């Protein structure tokens, strides 16, 4: 890569799997990228629900879940890395006015674009009492790419990319998220050929 080339940064973007992507973890998936830098990328698959409901996950960590809007929501398969660990993607939660830039939870990544991803149990504790973020996606596991790995997958036409729209994550039924993400590019699934090619 020429030295003057600006490194690609797809933080707060969706990766949309092309039909030719046959990797079991990612076929047909939409990944929300929480972080992307020259060191690699980290994201969560937002359209692959597991069989576990949030209510069951909360029971496993000995917390009641009093929010009816969340009890029946699925826990997502965020990716093949650390599948026993929970990741909560949520709208930004504002701290008190004294420290407006401090994250509310112990372990939160603030994502440019207005979302946050929290891995500490305190976000679940807040949700269990009826507080916490209103819009959430909880996943077990995450997706990760090492240095240059995502860039080479993009060069191989494995993924389409588009700036993320939080409505796709939080307000779109799971089975429609792939098509909805594609529509952000003005595309529909039938337009995509599984054959890689360069126009």
């Amino acid at each position: 890569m020429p030295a003057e080339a600006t490194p690609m940064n797809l933080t707060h973007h969706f990766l949309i799997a092309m039909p030719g992507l046959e990797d079991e973890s990612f076929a047909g998936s939409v990944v929300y990228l929480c972080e992307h830098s020259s060191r690699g990328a980290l994201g969560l698959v937002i359209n692959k629900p597991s069989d576990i409901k949030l209510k069951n996950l909360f029971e496993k960590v000995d917390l009641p879940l009093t929010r009816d809007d969340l009890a029946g929501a699925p826990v997502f398969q965020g990716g093949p890395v650390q599948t026993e660990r929970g990741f909560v993607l949520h709208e930004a939660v504002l701290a008190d006015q004294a420290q407006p830039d401090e994250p509310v939870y112990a372990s939160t990544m603030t994502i440019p674009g207005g979302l946050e991803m929290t891995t500490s149990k305190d976000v679940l504790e807040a949700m269990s009492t009826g507080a916490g973020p209103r819009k959430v996606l909880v996943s077990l596991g995450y997706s990760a790419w090492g240095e240059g790995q995502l860039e080479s997958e993009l060069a191989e036409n494995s993924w389409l990319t588009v700036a993320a729209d939080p409505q796709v994550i939080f307000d779109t039924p799971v089975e429609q998220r792939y098509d909805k993400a594609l529509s952000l590019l003005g595309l529909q699934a039938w337009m995509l050929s599984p054959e890689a090619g360069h126009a």
Side-chain angles (χ1 to χ4, degrees):
M1 184 160 51
E4 69 274 6
T6 312
M8 184 185 291
N9 182 348
L10 294 172
T11 300
H12 192 59
H13 277 64
F14 289 139
L15 296 179
I16 307 167
M18 287 290 281
L21 184 63
E22 290 169 358
D23 179 310
E24 194 178 301
S25 302
F26 295 116
S29 67
V30 179
V31 180
Y32 174 74
L33 281 184
C34 304
E35 186 175 45
H36 182 212
S37 70
S38 57
R39 295 189 310 277
L42 180 152
L44 300 173
V45 177
I46 63 162
N47 66 333
K48 294 208 169 174
S50 70
D51 299 332
I52 305 167
K53 300 286 183 233
L54 274 183
K55 187 174 184 303
N56 311 119
L57 180 71
F58 275 73
E59 285 165 0
K60 274 196 174 121
V61 292
D62 297 323
L63 288 172
L65 182 54
T66 55
R67 282 178 53 185
D68 294 340
D69 60 318
L70 295 177
V75 174
F76 285 79
Q77 298 167 340
V81 185
Q82 290 193 340
T83 52
E84 70 298 329
R85 219 174 135 200
F87 297 83
V88 182
L89 182 64
H90 57 87
E91 61 193 347
V93 178
L94 299 173
D96 61 37
Q97 302 313 311
Q99 297 122 342
D101 295 332
E102 286 294 307
V104 176
Y105 305 112
S107 183
T108 295
M109 173 194 295
T110 301
I111 304 159
L115 299 182
E116 295 179 339
M117 197 258 292
T118 300
T119 54
S120 45
K121 189 177 176 185
D122 51 358
V123 69
L124 298 180
E125 288 164 353
M127 287 159 58
S128 81
T129 64
R134 304 321 294 165
K135 297 188 174 204
V136 296
L137 179 142
V138 179
S139 81
L140 289 172
Y142 67 97
S143 307
W145 290 264
E147 187 178 335
Q149 191 182 356
L150 180 57
E151 288 76 359
S152 44
E153 289 182 19
L154 290 166
E156 292 161 5
N157 289 331
S158 297
W159 303 97
L160 291 169
T161 62
V162 65
D165 178 349
Q167 278 194 303
V168 176
I169 303 170
F170 301 121
D171 303 325
T172 304
V174 174
E175 65 281 358
Q176 294 171 24
R177 290 180 188 174
Y178 185 86
D179 290 338
K180 187 81 171 167
L182 272 182
S183 74
L184 298 174
L185 286 165
L187 296 173
Q188 293 176 352
W190 61 267
M191 298 174 174
L192 303 179
S193 161
E195 306 304 316
H198 296 276

